[in-house]
Amino acid sequence: MINKPKILFMGAGVFAVPVLDAIAHSKNLELAGTVTQPDKAAGRKRILTPTPLGKWADANGIPCERAVSVNTPEFLNKVQQIAPDLIVVVSFGQLLKQPLLESAPFGCLNVHASLLPRYRGASPIVSAVLNGDPETGIAFMRMEKGLDTGPVYEMHRYPVSPDMNAEELEQALSNLAAARIENCILKVVQNQIVPQTQSQDGVVLSKKIRKSDGSVRWQEDAEVLERKIRAYHNWPSMSFCVNLKKGCIKVKIMKAKATTFSAPNAIPGKVAAYANNQLMVACGKGALMIERVLPEGKKEMAVADFLNGSRIAVGDILLNGPDCTGE
């Protein structure tokens, strides 16, 4: 029996941070190494910026290697020197090839933010919000060559509230994973749990999110637009365009709610009403009540403040996003 399993951790995104924190502070696990993606140039000044996990590790005094590729002979040699019992992979963003998958006695354990086999792939959290799922969860899975196809050790369910956005759900699921990871690891290395092959029924793939997904199309149903606003809240955000005296600007919708309201002769994109600090815009079906926005070049604000500065009035037409063509 392994008294204190040695863990090599690989992660990059925000989702990985609470899980690393839990392992680093566990009295029953030894964090033998931490790996993330290389720092990347970001912002207008192209300043080298660490991944969210790298930033957290640096701030907490945890050595964190930036690996361009974890599949090189040089990196595999480092893994052999560390000699981990298990490799834990969370929101990492690199494909692990077979030599690395087999480099630890208990292989590689991946934390995936869905109830597999639903939402295999790159964006399980966004997909759950986008499709209005009432429930999702996390899966602890033994990794293999396929895309999130490996056998599952454990799954833990989590209810999705109707007004939750993807950023909030990501935080909730990462906290759930952090609370459960130590117990799962200990059962794995003590051979107390056998991973179960995923069912071939209910397989759903989650696509990679693109910037163009954040374009508002007022012709869509208001309920669809509301889900998109919550799903793409963190990135790319849902944007429309509006023509002002100073030109056409892009406006991100930060908070909104669908309503069944239908104004007479309303066309998609038409401002139907303004009341109680909410801007009502007609959609293909129903209307969208916008509460908070982020205009281009400005800070996030209540829609009332935006209206005061933009002079938008009932009857005006808001354009589709993000190119101000109105198409």
Side-chain angles (χ1 to χ4, degrees), residues 2-7 19 22-32 86 88 181-187 189-190:
I2 302 172
N3 292 326
K4 197 169 184 179
K6 293 175 66 177
I7 306 300
V19 184
I23 293 174
H25 290 92
S26 170
K27 295 180 180 179
N28 299 308
L29 304 174
E30 178 187 346
L31 181 61
L86 177 71
V88 175
I181 188 66
E182 178 188 299
N183 185 57
C184 183
I185 289 174
L186 292 175
K187 287 192 289 186
V189 300
Q190 291 167 5

Side-chain angles (χ1 to χ4, degrees), residues 14-50:
V14 172
F15 185 78
V17 171
V19 184
L20 174 59
D21 187 13
I23 293 174
H25 290 92
S26 170
K27 295 180 180 179
N28 299 308
L29 304 174
E30 178 187 346
L31 181 61
T34 303
V35 183
T36 192
Q37 300 270 33
D39 298 357
K40 293 182 179 180
R44 294 180 180 177
K45 296 184 179 179
R46 309 306 293 165
I47 298 173
L48 277 181
T49 304

Side-chain angles (χ1 to χ4, degrees), residues 159-178:
V160 183
S161 63
D163 59 348
M164 183 174 273
N165 64 43
E167 190 174 14
E168 294 166 338
L169 182 56
E170 179 178 44
Q171 187 63 59
L173 292 178
S174 62
N175 289 338
L176 176 61

Side-chain angles (χ1 to χ4, degrees), residues 2 4 33 39 49 81 101 109 149 153-154 166 182 185 192 207 211 215 217-218 225-226 228 232 241 274 326:
I2 302 172
K4 197 169 184 179
D39 298 357
T49 304
Q81 293 172 11
L101 293 175
L109 185 152
T149 58
Y153 290 109
E154 292 181 350
E182 178 188 299
I185 289 174
Q192 295 178 351
K207 68 172 186 176
K211 189 175 181 179
S215 298
R217 294 289 179 262
W218 295 112
L225 284 174
E226 182 196 333
K228 285 186 174 183
Y232 302 143
C241 289
Y274 170 67

Side-chain angles (χ1 to χ4, degrees), residues 146-224:
L147 179 64
D148 301 324
T149 58
V152 175
Y153 290 109
E154 292 181 350
M155 288 197 289
H156 301 279
R157 298 178 179 275
Y158 187 85
V160 183
S161 63
D163 59 348
M164 183 174 273
N165 64 43
E167 190 174 14
E168 294 166 338
L169 182 56
E170 179 178 44
Q171 187 63 59
L173 292 178
S174 62
N175 289 338
L176 176 61
R180 304 284 187 165
I181 188 66
E182 178 188 299
N183 185 57
C184 183
I185 289 174
L186 292 175
K187 287 192 289 186
V188 169
V189 300
Q190 291 167 5
N191 293 311
Q192 295 178 351
I193 187 170
V194 177
Q196 301 298 309
T197 302
Q198 292 185 40
S199 171
Q200 294 305 306
D201 297 326
V203 174
V204 178
L205 299 181
S206 59
K207 68 172 186 176
K208 184 176 181 180
I209 306 304
R210 303 185 184 281
K211 189 175 181 179
S212 58
D213 292 327
S215 298
V216 168
R217 294 289 179 262
W218 295 112
Q219 295 81 2
E220 291 188 292
D221 291 357
E223 288 188 2
V224 173

Side-chain angles (χ1 to χ4, degrees), residues 83-96:
D85 296 299
L86 177 71
I87 299 173
V88 175
V89 184
V90 188
S91 183
F92 184 45
Q94 287 191 34
L95 177 69
L96 275 60

